[in-house]
Amino acid sequence: MPVEKWSDRVVVARLADDPSLTEDLLTLDQTPNHGPHDIVLDFSSVNYLNSSHLSRLLKLRKKMAADEGRLMLCGVCNQVWGAFLVTGLDKVFHFSDDVTTALATLQIGEEA
């Protein structure tokens, strides 16, 4: 999973489709936090989500919130978006069309 550090506070993780997706989400969840930071998860290469993936995303969201960080999901295809809609998680996570828009949204949120 390529991880790009965009600033002292923001990291972009470009997720891969399964089987790598499971490992990517586990790695992100087990990474120790060093103060508040934000993560942008790029789903543009992901075509499928299962309940295990959704559970790991919820754990990561909880960890981020506890550390005053923000989690932004972007590049979600229609099939993956359907999994979020069916489970009602479309109301839990923050979504953006692409990485650039996600980064701009996070920056605007910092200035507000």
Side-chain angles (χ1 to χ4, degrees), residues 5-62:
K5 187 171 182 176
W6 279 83
S7 70
D8 291 338
R9 184 179 165 95
V10 180
V11 172
V12 177
R14 300 192 187 273
L15 302 174
D17 213 1
D18 239 358
S20 297
L21 178 60
T22 301
E23 295 171 18
D24 292 350
L25 292 174
L26 183 61
T27 300
L28 286 168
D29 186 41
Q30 293 177 346
T31 302
N33 289 352
H34 303 290
H37 70 283
D38 302 325
I39 298 177
V40 175
L41 296 179
D42 181 6
F43 276 81
S44 58
S45 296
V46 177
N47 297 308
Y48 172 77
L49 282 184
N50 62 32
S51 59
S52 174
H53 300 141
L54 294 172
S55 174
R56 291 198 190 284
L57 283 168
L58 287 167
K59 282 181 67 176
L60 180 59
R61 180 184 173 275
K62 182 177 180 180

